[in-house]
C-alpha cells in the first residue's frame, strides 16, 4: 500500500539536518510494509495537498522562513482542508511559527501567518535562545530530547505540545512548548527530533498505520542504536536537570 510524504522547502528549511526526520520516517514505514514515496517541493512548485498523508517542514533561517511562508500562503485554504481531513502535519524549529496569526520579524514588519492556530510570534533582533531541551507531555509517557535555537517568543498558544523540564518554552518563563491540534504537531525541538526520539517515531508510525489500515498492527522491530542514543542523551540531560534543582 502506497503512502505519500511531502517534504516542503527542504532546500530552504534544513538548518540542522532536519531532512533526517523524513528519511528516517520513510525507512520505518517501509519496514512496516508500506510502499513510501517522498516528494520534495519548494518555492513556485505546484502542490496538491490531498495526495499526501504526511507533510513535513523543517527549521530555517528567519529570512528563509519568510520566503517559505510567502509561498505557502497561496495554499492556506487547501492546508486547512487537509488538516480537517486528518492529514498529519509535522513542523519543527521555526517552521511551526508559520501556523499562527502573524510573525513580527526582526525587521519590524508583520507577516501574516496561515492562521491555523491563534497565536502570535515576535522575533527579537538582539536576543537568541539556544540550548538542550527535555520535554514531557500528557499524550506520551516518555520524555523528549532535542535542541532549541530561536530568536522568537510565542504568545497565545492554547494547545501546547510539550511541557519543558529543561530549556525555554514558547516564551521566556513559559514552560509550555510547541503546538498540537488534531494531527498537527509543531515544536521548536530540532535534532532531528524523530531520529533522537524513537518512541515519538513509533507514535507517528502507529498514527499513520492506523490511518492506512483499520486493523494495523505494528511490527515489533528493534532499532537498538536509536534507542541507545536516546537513553544516553536523556540520562545526561536529566543529570543536568537534577543538578540545577
Amino acid at each position: 500500500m502506497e503512502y505519500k510524504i511531502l517534504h516542503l522547502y527542504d532546500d530552504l528549511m534544513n538548518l540542522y539536518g532536519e531532512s533526517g526526520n523524513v528519511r528516517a520516517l520513510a525507512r520505518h514505514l517501509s519496514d512496516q510494509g508500506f510502499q513510501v514515496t517522498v516528494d520534495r517541493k519548494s518555492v513556485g512548485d505546484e502542490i496538491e495537498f490531498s495526495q499526501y498523508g504526511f507533510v513535513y517542514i523543517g527549521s530555517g533561517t528567519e529570512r528563509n522562513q519568510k520566503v517559505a511562508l510567502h509561498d505557502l500562503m497561496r495554499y492556506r485554504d487547501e492546508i486547512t482542508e487537509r488538516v480537517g481531513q486528518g492529514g498529519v502535519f509535522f513542523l519543527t524549529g521555526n517552521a511551526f511559527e508559520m501556523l499562527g496569526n502573524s510573525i513580527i520579524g526582526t525587521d519590524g514588519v508583520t507577516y501574516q501567518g496561515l492562521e491555523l492556530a491563534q497565536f502570535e510570534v515576535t522575533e527579537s533582533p538582539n536576543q537568541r535562545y539556544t540550548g538542550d531541551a527535555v520535554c514531557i507531555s500528557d499524550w506520551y509517557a516518555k520524555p523528549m530530547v532535542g535542541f532549541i535555537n530561536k530568536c522568537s517568543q510565542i504568545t497565545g498558544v492554547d494547545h501546547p505540545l510539550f511541557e519543558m523540564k529543561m530549556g525555554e518554552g514558547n516564551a521566556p518563563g513559559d514552560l509550555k512548548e510547541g503546538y498540537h491540534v488534531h494531527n498537527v504537531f509543531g515544536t521548536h525541538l530540532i535534532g532531528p527530533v524523530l531520529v533522537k526520539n524513537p518512541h515519538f517515531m513509533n507514535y507517528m508510525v502507529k498514527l499513520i498505520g492506523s490511518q492506512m489500515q483499520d486493523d494495523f498492527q505494528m511490527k515489533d522491530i528493534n532499532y537498538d542504536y536509536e534507542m541507545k542514543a536516546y537513553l544516553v542523551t536523556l540520562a545526561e540531560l536529566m543529570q543536568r536537570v537534577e543538578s540545577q534543582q
Side-chain angles (χ1 to χ4, degrees), residues 102-120:
S102 64
I103 301 173
I104 301 176
T106 56
D107 54 7
V109 175
T110 299
Y111 300 86
Q112 183 182 357
L114 293 170
E115 297 182 324
L116 284 173
Q118 302 304 306
F119 59 72
E120 312 288 342

Side-chain angles (χ1 to χ4, degrees), residues 166-186:
M166 169 190 285
E168 184 173 285
N170 288 324
D174 183 3
L175 295 180
K176 304 299 184 181
E177 199 283 325
Y179 173 78
H180 178 207
V181 169
H182 302 301
N183 290 331
V184 179
F185 302 83

Side-chain angles (χ1 to χ4, degrees), residues 3-6 25 52-56 88 90 194 204 208:
Y3 188 80
K4 297 191 73 173
I5 294 174
L6 174 61
L25 177 62
Y52 301 100
F54 186 94
V55 179
Y56 176 74
V88 183
F90 185 39
L194 287 181
M204 286 293 185
I208 291 167

Side-chain angles (χ1 to χ4, degrees), residues 153-210:
Q153 62 176 1
I154 304 178
T155 57
V157 178
D158 292 332
H159 302 282
L161 181 61
F162 300 125
E163 181 173 340
M164 306 302 294
K165 296 291 287 184
M166 169 190 285
E168 184 173 285
N170 288 324
D174 183 3
L175 295 180
K176 304 299 184 181
E177 199 283 325
Y179 173 78
H180 178 207
V181 169
H182 302 301
N183 290 331
V184 179
F185 302 83
T187 177
H188 273 119
L189 288 185
I190 51 180
V193 66
L194 287 181
V195 177
K196 293 177 75 72
N197 295 276
H199 54 287
F200 191 32
M201 173 70 80
N202 288 342
Y203 178 92
M204 286 293 185
V205 171
K206 289 178 182 177
L207 173 62
I208 291 167
S210 65

Side-chain angles (χ1 to χ4, degrees), residues 40-232:
R40 293 174 174 82
K41 302 282 188 178
S42 192
V43 175
D45 291 339
E46 293 302 315
I47 305 168
E48 191 173 332
F49 281 89
S50 61
Q51 295 183 1
Y52 301 100
F54 186 94
V55 179
Y56 176 74
I57 310 177
S59 183
T61 65
E62 284 70 45
R63 179 183 180 279
N64 282 356
Q65 178 208 50
K66 308 306 182 299
V67 174
L69 176 58
H70 178 75
D71 184 72
L72 202 58
M73 286 295 292
R74 61 196 171 114
Y75 291 108
R76 183 172 59 178
D77 293 342
E78 289 90 337
I79 293 171
T80 301
E81 181 178 4
R82 190 70 190 99
V83 168
Q85 294 168 345
V88 183
F89 285 72
F90 185 39
L91 294 86
T92 57
N94 61 351
F96 102 85
E97 298 172 359
M98 299 189 291
L99 297 173
N101 288 328
S102 64
I103 301 173
I104 301 176
T106 56
D107 54 7
V109 175
T110 299
Y111 300 86
Q112 183 182 357
L114 293 170
E115 297 182 324
L116 284 173
Q118 302 304 306
F119 59 72
E120 312 288 342
V121 180
T122 303
E123 294 177 348
S124 170
N126 303 314
Q127 293 182 330
R128 176 172 292 275
Y129 176 83
T130 60
D132 293 314
V134 178
C135 311
I136 58 174
S137 67
D138 58 4
W139 52 268
Y140 205 87
K142 295 182 179 179
M144 299 279 292
V145 299
F147 190 79
I148 293 175
N149 183 347
K150 66 189 183 86
C151 69
S152 60
Q153 62 176 1
I154 304 178
T155 57
V157 178
D158 292 332
H159 302 282
L161 181 61
F162 300 125
E163 181 173 340
M164 306 302 294
K165 296 291 287 184
M166 169 190 285
E168 184 173 285
N170 288 324
D174 183 3
L175 295 180
K176 304 299 184 181
E177 199 283 325
Y179 173 78
H180 178 207
V181 169
H182 302 301
N183 290 331
V184 179
F185 302 83
T187 177
H188 273 119
L189 288 185
I190 51 180
V193 66
L194 287 181
V195 177
K196 293 177 75 72
N197 295 276
H199 54 287
F200 191 32
M201 173 70 80
N202 288 342
Y203 178 92
M204 286 293 185
V205 171
K206 289 178 182 177
L207 173 62
I208 291 167
S210 65
Q211 290 184 333
M212 295 288 286
Q213 300 174 353
D214 291 338
D215 58 348
F216 176 71
Q217 296 291 324
M218 190 166 173
K219 299 176 185 176
D220 187 13
I221 301 175
N222 194 359
Y223 301 95
D224 277 344
Y225 56 95
E226 294 179 0
M227 185 56 67
K228 288 178 180 178
Y230 164 75
L231 292 174
V232 168

